[in-house]
Amino acid sequence: MALGVLALALGLTALTLAHAEDVPANPASGQSQSLNSGQPLSHALPPRVEILSPENEAVVEGAATLVSVGVDHLPPVPAGCAPLRVILDNQAPIDIDDPAVPLGLPNLTEGGHFLRVYAIDGEGRMLGNGEAFASSRFFVHRRDFQNALVPGTPWLTVNDPAGGTLFTEEAGKLGLPSAKLALDFLVQGEGASECLIHYRLNHRDTTVPVGKKIVWNDLKAGRYTLMVELLGANGLPVQGIFNQVERTFDVQTPVKALSLVPVPSSAAATTPAAPASTSAGATSAAPTAPARTAGPKKKGE
């Protein structure tokens, strides 16, 4: 049993899990299905993540700390893919490439902070078992009520989109370059399976039950702003600082390498063919393509 070292603290009391792409196999047991296949995890032993430091409820002196974690039975991921992610408070996730290397958290403000660390698969999606997620609450210099969970209420963790830049495929809908993106999230706590997810992508609002698969199939190049909010069964926002998450990401079309082979001067000039027309009244469920921005947003912002 190989234990890696990374950083964060507090065991997770995961009563009910609900994912963006899966309905729990048995809500009463707290077990859920695999995000990538919709089937129970096939590992002989379930992946496990444990926060070693900072310990839960610890008071840290200084504006920086190291986060260390122990892990067991993590599934293999392709080269260049991180097996873990960390979220500090309500910020965007940070990839952890090597669980054996402690993660430094600099420039921490005074007061309470909430850490989450969880395992992901080779496609960057959260795993479907509660032991693959851990959380820790710690304090810098002094104890207070900042970044605290609301007792007795469910709470939201958004994994993807994490921010940064996505790249379009060669040809999407109607033959135009576009990107595909799935919303990957986790809802934990009492009443999680009864919640609703309300999201707004570039001013287009949608509300769906927890467990509903949410995929955007035809994102054109541009900048997108996403807001995800947890609602109760009554349709009202669930109280808690972590129950509304905002992320910004860019979609770009890769720049193709230009051929340096000279064109013979005798070559006849050609006129580009007119683009193929589409049938009248054709519609797309994807968000309206936003205006392009001056530059891409860095990963993790």
mmCIF file of all heavy atoms in Angstrom, residues 13-17 152-155 187-193:
data_model
loop_
_atom_site.group_PDB
_atom_site.id
_atom_site.type_symbol
_atom_site.label_atom_id
_atom_site.label_comp_id
_atom_site.label_asym_id
_atom_site.label_seq_id
_atom_site.Cartn_x
_atom_site.Cartn_y
_atom_site.Cartn_z
ATOM 1 N N THR A 13 -17.251 13.814 5.605
ATOM 2 C CA THR A 13 -18.464 13.120 6.007
ATOM 3 C C THR A 13 -19.429 13.148 4.848
ATOM 4 O O THR A 13 -20.388 13.912 4.833
ATOM 5 C CB THR A 13 -19.088 13.798 7.245
ATOM 6 O OG1 THR A 13 -19.321 15.164 6.936
ATOM 7 C CG2 THR A 13 -18.143 13.710 8.436
ATOM 8 N N ALA A 14 -19.183 12.317 3.890
ATOM 9 C CA ALA A 14 -19.996 12.310 2.669
ATOM 10 C C ALA A 14 -21.180 11.400 2.875
ATOM 11 O O ALA A 14 -21.056 10.191 2.846
ATOM 12 C CB ALA A 14 -19.161 11.830 1.488
ATOM 13 N N LEU A 15 -22.325 11.981 3.109
ATOM 14 C CA LEU A 15 -23.531 11.198 3.324
ATOM 15 C C LEU A 15 -24.163 10.778 2.014
ATOM 16 O O LEU A 15 -24.567 9.640 1.847
ATOM 17 C CB LEU A 15 -24.538 12.011 4.165
ATOM 18 C CG LEU A 15 -24.016 12.448 5.538
ATOM 19 C CD1 LEU A 15 -25.067 13.283 6.242
ATOM 20 C CD2 LEU A 15 -23.639 11.236 6.361
ATOM 21 N N THR A 16 -24.334 11.719 1.096
ATOM 22 C CA THR A 16 -24.962 11.431 -0.181
ATOM 23 C C THR A 16 -24.175 12.114 -1.263
ATOM 24 O O THR A 16 -23.849 13.281 -1.141
ATOM 25 C CB THR A 16 -26.416 11.960 -0.209
ATOM 26 O OG1 THR A 16 -27.103 11.419 0.907
ATOM 27 C CG2 THR A 16 -27.110 11.540 -1.485
ATOM 28 N N LEU A 17 -23.860 11.397 -2.334
ATOM 29 C CA LEU A 17 -23.106 11.954 -3.440
ATOM 30 C C LEU A 17 -24.020 12.068 -4.638
ATOM 31 O O LEU A 17 -24.790 11.178 -4.926
ATOM 32 C CB LEU A 17 -21.907 11.055 -3.795
ATOM 33 C CG LEU A 17 -20.914 10.792 -2.648
ATOM 34 C CD1 LEU A 17 -19.774 9.923 -3.162
ATOM 35 C CD2 LEU A 17 -20.372 12.093 -2.118
ATOM 36 N N GLY A 152 -25.997 21.023 8.394
ATOM 37 C CA GLY A 152 -27.297 20.478 8.007
ATOM 38 C C GLY A 152 -27.754 20.827 6.611
ATOM 39 O O GLY A 152 -28.913 20.589 6.270
ATOM 40 N N THR A 153 -26.873 21.402 5.779
ATOM 41 C CA THR A 153 -27.262 21.757 4.411
ATOM 42 C C THR A 153 -26.313 21.104 3.421
ATOM 43 O O THR A 153 -25.138 20.871 3.728
ATOM 44 C CB THR A 153 -27.239 23.281 4.187
ATOM 45 O OG1 THR A 153 -25.894 23.757 4.360
ATOM 46 C CG2 THR A 153 -28.165 23.991 5.157
ATOM 47 N N PRO A 154 -26.784 20.786 2.206
ATOM 48 C CA PRO A 154 -25.882 20.249 1.185
ATOM 49 C C PRO A 154 -24.939 21.319 0.674
ATOM 50 O O PRO A 154 -25.186 22.513 0.827
ATOM 51 C CB PRO A 154 -26.855 19.784 0.081
ATOM 52 C CG PRO A 154 -28.068 20.618 0.272
ATOM 53 C CD PRO A 154 -28.170 20.891 1.740
ATOM 54 N N TRP A 155 -23.843 20.879 0.042
ATOM 55 C CA TRP A 155 -22.862 21.828 -0.491
ATOM 56 C C TRP A 155 -22.284 21.307 -1.787
ATOM 57 O O TRP A 155 -22.272 20.121 -2.071
ATOM 58 C CB TRP A 155 -21.786 22.149 0.528
ATOM 59 C CG TRP A 155 -21.118 20.988 1.187
ATOM 60 C CD1 TRP A 155 -21.640 20.147 2.138
ATOM 61 C CD2 TRP A 155 -19.782 20.526 0.962
ATOM 62 N NE1 TRP A 155 -20.716 19.213 2.513
ATOM 63 C CE2 TRP A 155 -19.558 19.410 1.810
ATOM 64 C CE3 TRP A 155 -18.744 20.959 0.155
ATOM 65 C CZ2 TRP A 155 -18.358 18.714 1.863
ATOM 66 C CZ3 TRP A 155 -17.529 20.267 0.191
ATOM 67 C CH2 TRP A 155 -17.350 19.168 1.040
ATOM 68 N N VAL A 187 -22.309 17.056 -5.296
ATOM 69 C CA VAL A 187 -23.132 17.639 -4.237
ATOM 70 C C VAL A 187 -23.103 16.677 -3.055
ATOM 71 O O VAL A 187 -23.343 15.476 -3.217
ATOM 72 C CB VAL A 187 -24.580 17.873 -4.703
ATOM 73 C CG1 VAL A 187 -25.411 18.458 -3.562
ATOM 74 C CG2 VAL A 187 -24.608 18.809 -5.906
ATOM 75 N N GLN A 188 -22.783 17.188 -1.884
ATOM 76 C CA GLN A 188 -22.667 16.365 -0.684
ATOM 77 C C GLN A 188 -23.501 16.957 0.440
ATOM 78 O O GLN A 188 -23.812 18.148 0.440
ATOM 79 C CB GLN A 188 -21.206 16.290 -0.240
ATOM 80 C CG GLN A 188 -20.294 15.636 -1.260
ATOM 81 C CD GLN A 188 -18.851 15.983 -1.018
ATOM 82 O OE1 GLN A 188 -18.350 16.958 -1.550
ATOM 83 N NE2 GLN A 188 -18.173 15.194 -0.211
ATOM 84 N N GLY A 189 -23.829 16.114 1.407
ATOM 85 C CA GLY A 189 -24.534 16.573 2.579
ATOM 86 C C GLY A 189 -25.994 16.164 2.582
ATOM 87 O O GLY A 189 -26.521 15.581 1.630
ATOM 88 N N GLU A 190 -26.650 16.492 3.658
ATOM 89 C CA GLU A 190 -28.044 16.109 3.860
ATOM 90 C C GLU A 190 -28.953 16.706 2.783
ATOM 91 O O GLU A 190 -28.908 17.893 2.508
ATOM 92 C CB GLU A 190 -28.497 16.585 5.244
ATOM 93 C CG GLU A 190 -29.905 16.175 5.624
ATOM 94 C CD GLU A 190 -30.259 16.621 7.025
ATOM 95 O OE1 GLU A 190 -29.332 16.994 7.777
ATOM 96 O OE2 GLU A 190 -31.454 16.595 7.368
ATOM 97 N N GLY A 191 -29.755 15.854 2.138
ATOM 98 C CA GLY A 191 -30.687 16.312 1.110
ATOM 99 C C GLY A 191 -30.063 16.538 -0.245
ATOM 100 O O GLY A 191 -30.686 17.136 -1.120
ATOM 101 N N ALA A 192 -28.836 16.044 -0.469
ATOM 102 C CA ALA A 192 -28.132 16.298 -1.731
ATOM 103 C C ALA A 192 -28.905 15.778 -2.941
ATOM 104 O O ALA A 192 -28.977 16.432 -3.975
ATOM 105 C CB ALA A 192 -26.737 15.679 -1.688
ATOM 106 N N SER A 193 -29.492 14.588 -2.833
ATOM 107 C CA SER A 193 -30.155 13.976 -3.990
ATOM 108 C C SER A 193 -31.430 14.691 -4.391
ATOM 109 O O SER A 193 -31.952 14.471 -5.485
ATOM 110 C CB SER A 193 -30.452 12.502 -3.693
ATOM 111 O OG SER A 193 -31.337 12.379 -2.583
#
